[in-house]
Amino acid sequence: MDLVKFLVLKKNLLNRITNTLDSESLRKSRNDHHAKRAPRPCGLTIHTGIGCSYCCTYCYIYDMGFSSKVKPYPLKGIELVASLLINPYFVPTLHGTLLAFGSVTEPFLPETYRKTIEYLGGVYSYLKNPIQISTKAFLTEEQITEVLRASPRLSVLITLITLRKFKELEPLAPNPYMRLETASKMIKLGAHVSLFIRPIIPGVTDREIRDIFEIALSYNIRKAVLGSLRVTNRIIKNLRNLGIDLSTRLVTKPRGSVQVPIRSSDLKTMAKNIANKLGIEVYPSACAANIDAHGLSCAMCRLGPCGDLNKLPSIDESCIRELLKYMKIKFKQITVFNNRIEIIIEKTLHKNVLYHIISILTKRATYIHH
């Protein structure tokens, strides 16, 4: 696999797009966080808006300084594309960086819907990266058609954690049956849809999990992603007021607005066992659903491998050597194993960038040492 061609393509795309932007648009693209953030394990998060009006009692964004007043993200679609191409960690194309929409807002709120369509279309048209989107929204068939026209191979996560206590936990979000209806319509129109059971709330989600899976099956949903709850003092208080006591599951005591995980491996194992008996495939992570939706394979982390290992990119030492040469990074040793890569390089400021580029393109665990 020629790794250099992806960086050459990225450079050419950036030149092509920046030549169409005026100085103000270029300034906005360069200064935006999308141009600077390194990808998370699940991919690079894309913000189509800021804030969320659903006001779910367990949501962390209100401890991060975001409010229930929603604003669409300020970048135009082409400015977002430029911002991503400016990002040194980002790699375009289907084999490049995974993208995740729906982190600090609901992508399909009235305030964010048009921006989401614009961003989906921009990324698909220019970059072709694998895209995943998480949502609790109700969408009409016309809207779903528009979404899938903008991004035909989209991986969709439909969040559902309770059938009985949604009014208390998710007071302003569409009810679970409306979300399931959206999921069913998306599946009929060819979308790759997974049930997003995140976060699993002890005493709620675990008690309803069989019902949740059985209802999902009736809507033709046969894939799921499980996720743990992270809490702050505010979230703990909100849930306690609803009779949900998390004291025995805290890993550590939260400090202010800092999020901490709760113990939930037993709940996830129980949920997975029930899903397996019902014939529902449970992905080890959200990004695994994105990998599957786009016909890829990945062995980057301990949760994998995800997908068919035979679909991993074909890599040898010469591929890595040519990439290092192109990036002007001197190395001492390159070792390519089946599922991992180890490199010893001379000290450089570009170590983190190199790590992300190689791990993203090779889809293997990557270890870089000085």
Side-chain angles (χ1 to χ4, degrees):
M1 184 181 188
D2 182 0
L3 303 181
V4 174
K5 72 177 182 182
F6 293 96
L7 299 192
V8 172
L9 173 64
K10 178 181 178 180
K11 182 179 179 181
N12 291 338
L13 277 172
L14 180 58
N15 289 337
R16 172 186 163 195
I17 288 172
T18 53
N19 285 336
T20 69
L21 299 179
D22 58 33
S23 58
E24 176 60 16
S25 288
L26 190 54
R27 182 195 66 79
K28 287 169 62 179
S29 297
R30 284 175 174 162
N31 291 337
D32 191 81
H33 287 292
H34 289 94
K36 302 171 185 178
R37 286 187 281 112
R40 298 170 61 85
C42 59
L44 185 65
T45 53
I46 304 296
H47 304 325
T48 63
I50 299 171
C52 183
S53 56
Y54 284 169
C55 298
C56 299
T57 58
Y58 54 80
C59 185
Y60 55 83
I61 73 165
Y62 307 110
D63 295 294
M64 298 171 64
F66 300 104
S67 75
S68 58
K69 294 183 179 179
V70 184
K71 295 180 181 179
Y73 205 76
L75 293 184
K76 299 176 184 176
I78 194 67
E79 292 170 345
L80 173 77
V81 171
S83 191
L84 291 173
L85 290 169
I86 290 167
N87 187 323
Y89 304 100
F90 175 80
V91 182
T93 78
L94 176 65
H95 300 285
T97 308
L98 302 180
L99 300 179
F101 285 57
S103 174
V104 297
T105 191
E106 161 58 56
F108 296 123
L109 288 168
E111 298 91 339
T112 59
Y113 177 83
R114 294 259 47 104
K115 187 70 72 173
T116 298
I117 297 295
E118 184 181 1
Y119 283 8
L120 288 173
V123 170
Y124 182 77
S125 297
Y126 289 99
L127 305 174
K128 298 292 190 294
N129 288 67
I131 302 175
Q132 184 171 79
I133 196 163
S134 57
T135 180
K136 295 176 185 171
F138 171 77
L139 297 178
T140 65
E141 190 166 324
E142 182 181 0
Q143 288 175 316
I144 293 170
T145 299
E146 186 176 28
V147 169
L148 297 181
R149 188 183 300 122
S151 186
R153 299 187 71 177
L154 186 65
S155 167
V156 182
L157 303 179
I158 302 291
T159 301
L160 199 159
I161 65 163
T162 177
L163 295 168
R164 296 193 282 271
K165 291 197 173 184
F166 63 91
K167 290 182 180 179
E168 296 94 332
L169 291 166
E170 304 163 332
L172 300 179
N175 74 59
Y177 296 94
M178 295 175 72
R179 301 177 215 171
L180 290 167
E181 185 179 339
T182 297
S184 179
K185 289 178 180 177
M186 284 187 158
I187 291 169
K188 288 178 182 177
L189 291 174
H192 186 282
V193 178
S194 305
L195 198 64
F196 200 26
I197 305 178
R198 176 187 175 193
I200 294 175
I201 297 183
V204 178
T205 313
D206 51 325
R207 294 179 182 177
E208 298 184 38
I209 195 64
R210 180 175 290 276
D211 291 339
I212 289 172
F213 283 139
E214 288 179 346
I215 288 290
L217 283 172
S218 72
Y219 284 85
N220 204 28
I221 304 170
R222 301 182 181 279
K223 303 176 188 296
V225 174
L226 308 176
S228 303
L229 174 67
R230 298 179 65 87
V231 298
T232 62
N233 284 325
R234 182 190 61 83
I235 293 172
I236 290 173
K237 182 179 179 181
N238 284 347
L239 295 179
R240 187 188 300 125
N241 288 340
L242 296 174
I244 302 168
D245 182 11
L246 301 176
S247 58
T248 61
R249 288 192 171 268
L250 290 176
V251 176
T252 184
K253 189 175 181 180
R255 285 182 165 185
S257 61
V258 177
Q259 302 169 44
V260 299
I262 66 165
R263 295 185 181 90
S264 60
S265 59
D266 59 324
L267 303 182
K268 291 172 75 172
T269 297
M270 179 268 294
K272 184 176 180 180
N273 289 339
I274 292 174
N276 288 341
K277 290 177 181 178
L278 292 172
I280 293 177
E281 179 182 4
V282 175
Y283 292 110
S285 61
C287 54
N290 201 5
I291 288 288
D292 188 30
H294 292 85
L296 302 171
S297 182
C298 182
M300 284 174 58
C301 75
R302 61 179 178 79
L303 296 177
C306 299
D308 184 355
L309 279 178
N310 293 322
K311 291 183 179 180
L312 283 176
S314 178
I315 299 295
D316 58 27
E317 183 182 328
S318 65
C319 302
I320 308 297
R321 188 188 309 115
E322 290 303 312
L323 179 67
L324 293 171
K325 182 179 177 182
Y326 180 81
M327 295 181 68
K328 298 180 180 179
I329 295 175
K330 295 181 179 180
F331 68 93
K332 298 177 182 178
Q333 183 177 325
I334 300 171
T335 308
V336 178
F337 301 93
N338 187 34
N339 293 343
R340 75 180 193 277
I341 296 169
E342 294 184 5
I343 307 171
I344 300 176
I345 61 173
E346 293 188 7
K347 195 167 185 179
T348 174
L349 296 175
H350 304 296
K351 179 182 175 182
N352 288 338
V353 172
L354 178 65
Y355 163 77
H356 282 285
I357 289 174
I358 291 180
S359 60
I360 286 167
L361 285 175
T362 68
K363 296 295 187 290
R364 288 166 169 83
T366 301
Y367 305 91
I368 301 176
H369 314 282
H370 291 307

